Structures are given as structure tokens and as C-alpha cells.
Amino acid sequence: MKRRLEPELMDTDEQAAAYASADFNASNTLFMDLLKRLGPGPLDGACALDLGCGPADIVIRFLRAYPKASCDALDGSQPMLDLAQSELDRLPGIAPRCRLVCDVIPSAQLPQAHYDLVLSNSLLHHLHDPQVLWRTVRETAKPGATVLVMDLMRPASAGWAEALVETYARNESEVLRTDFRNSLFAAFEPAEVTEQLVAAGLDGALEVNVVSDRHLAVMGRLPE
Ligand SMILES: C[S@@+](CC[C@H](N)C(=O)[O-])C[C@H]1O[C@@H](n2cnc3c(N)ncnc32)[C@H](O)[C@@H]1O
């Protein structure tokens, strides 16, 4: 099935609110499990970056799991960051370790060769040019940094996409079901992501894995 682009930013209040109220527990738990596999030692005390953080559920899970870590969390959508800020305001033990950054990648606001860990969940499929993400990873991560990028995988057919929407978003709002369907059409196949890593010169360090019936994950460590 051919890739069909969707808008990069989720920047209407309605879209951000629908996304923030949806149940992503299964996929966000999977993300944290993958991260634990990449740890453990170096991640506590890590200075992390989350690209396309949305309402910051993964940032909060990460900062809870690693109490000495800090995280810069970037998103180009102010409505998403407003929701992230509201969540953080209720978590005084975590908020001081998180800095929200409103910008799109490539971002001049991010320090270079700075982060011990670069995270991203469900951003890649939004990007019209995926190399923007891989360049940002290369430029912002320290040598030896850990990288975990998880995203949806494009299904083989429209029928399979519809089956995934029915299975995983049956009880969600129409806004969210439409977003999920559009995201599946916009996502990459694992072989396409492998080609992106080759083009970015990251294929020796990062590996593409299929981690569920709808997710792939790119994980590994950059060279020292
Ligand atoms: C599907 S959401 C994922 C949010 C979060 N990572 C999560 O796992 O729940 C994708 C987010 O990426 C943001 N985004 C898309 N393109 C972007 C870009 N070029 N720069 C920064 N953020 C972007 C969107 O605004 C949206 O909040």
C-alpha cells in the first residue's frame, strides 16, 4: 500500500484533546519495556530528549521510572504542550526535571551533541521528510547515546488498516479513529525505515525491530 501523508502537527485544540484523552496504555507500556531492555545503568541520571512529545505521557513515565533523569520534551503543537504542562503541574516531583520546548524539528533550540538518550514515539510517520528526525538524532545525541524511536507500521492493505482501527480504536471518538487511520496510511514499512537509517549513516548503530502487530522500533546506541 502506498504511503499517504498526513499533516505534521496535531495543532488544533480538538485534536490535541482527543489524543490526550485516548487510552495509549498498551503502546506506552511497550515503549517503556523496550527502553528498560536498552538500560538499565546508563539511563538513570540521563539527560534525555523526547521528540514529538505530545501530552507528555511517555516523558512522565520515563521521569517516574528514572528519578535522577531529566528530559527536554519538544513538540511543534502548543495545544499539545498546554496539555503536557497541565499534567506536569499536578506532579511536583517530576515537573522540575522536564523542560517543554515548543518548536518543530529541525530545531535551532536544541543543543548539539548533548543528550544521553533520545526518545520518540509516534512522530516519524508525521514527518514528510523522515531524514529530519534522523538528522536531529545524530546532531543532538552525545557519542554513545541510547536511542529509542517507536512508531506505527504501515499495513499491507486498506482492509488491514481498517481491521487495526476496529481492534484498537473501536471505542474511541471519531476524531481519534480518523487520526489513527490516517496515521497507519502515513506510517513507514520496516524496510523503508532501514533504508532511512542507511541514508542517515545510522544503520551500524541502530536496528529496526517489529515489536507488535502495528509498531516498529528503532533502537540501539550511537558510536562512542
Ligand atoms: C502522534 S503524536 C505522539 C505524541 C507522543 N509522543 C505520544 O507518544 O503520545 C505526534 C506528535 O508529534 C508532533 N509533531 C509532528 N511533526 C512535528 C515536527 N516536525 N516537529 C515537532 N513536533 C512534531 C505533533 O504535533 C504531535 O504532538
Side-chain angles (χ1 to χ4, degrees), residues 16-39:
Y19 188 84
S21 63
D23 180 3
F24 290 112
N25 185 49
S27 50
N28 292 357
T29 300
L30 171 62
F31 187 94
M32 290 305 297
D33 287 347
L34 293 171
L35 187 60
K36 269 180 219 143
R37 275 194 233 163
L38 285 169

Side-chain angles (χ1 to χ4, degrees), residues 17-131:
Y19 188 84
S21 63
D23 180 3
F24 290 112
N25 185 49
S27 50
N28 292 357
T29 300
L30 171 62
F31 187 94
M32 290 305 297
D33 287 347
L34 293 171
L35 187 60
K36 269 180 219 143
R37 275 194 233 163
L38 285 169
L43 300 188
D44 205 9
C47 177
L49 171 65
D50 184 5
L51 295 166
C53 64
D57 186 61
I58 285 194
V59 178
I60 290 167
R61 286 172 188 246
F62 167 70
L63 292 174
R64 265 205 189 108
Y66 300 95
K68 292 187 192 138
S70 61
C71 189
D72 287 352
L74 174 140
D75 203 288
S77 161
Q78 190 60 55
M80 281 291 192
L81 291 184
D82 290 344
L83 293 165
Q85 188 62 60
S86 309
E87 277 308 302
L88 287 164
D89 286 345
R90 300 193 297 120
L91 301 167
I94 284 177
R97 293 187 282 129
C98 179
R99 178 174 77 105
L100 298 179
V101 180
C102 189
D103 202 2
V104 291
I105 57 163
S107 166
Q109 294 190 50
L110 296 176
Q112 307 275 296
H114 179 75
Y115 297 99
D116 306 302
L117 171 65
V118 180
L119 306 173
S120 182
N121 182 48
S122 231
L123 166 67
L124 179 62
H125 70 271
H126 280 276
L127 300 174
H128 297 181
D129 173 9
Q131 285 303 329

Side-chain angles (χ1 to χ4, degrees), residues 172-207:
E172 300 291 358
S173 67
E174 208 38 55
V175 175
L176 201 91
R177 286 166 60 83
T178 302
D179 269 353
F180 184 37
R181 186 178 299 108
N182 291 343
S183 295
L184 289 167
F185 276 95
F188 294 99
E189 294 175 350
E192 293 169 335
V193 180
T194 300
E195 281 168 24
Q196 292 165 19
L197 294 178
V198 171
L202 289 170
D203 53 314
L206 305 182
E207 195 177 74

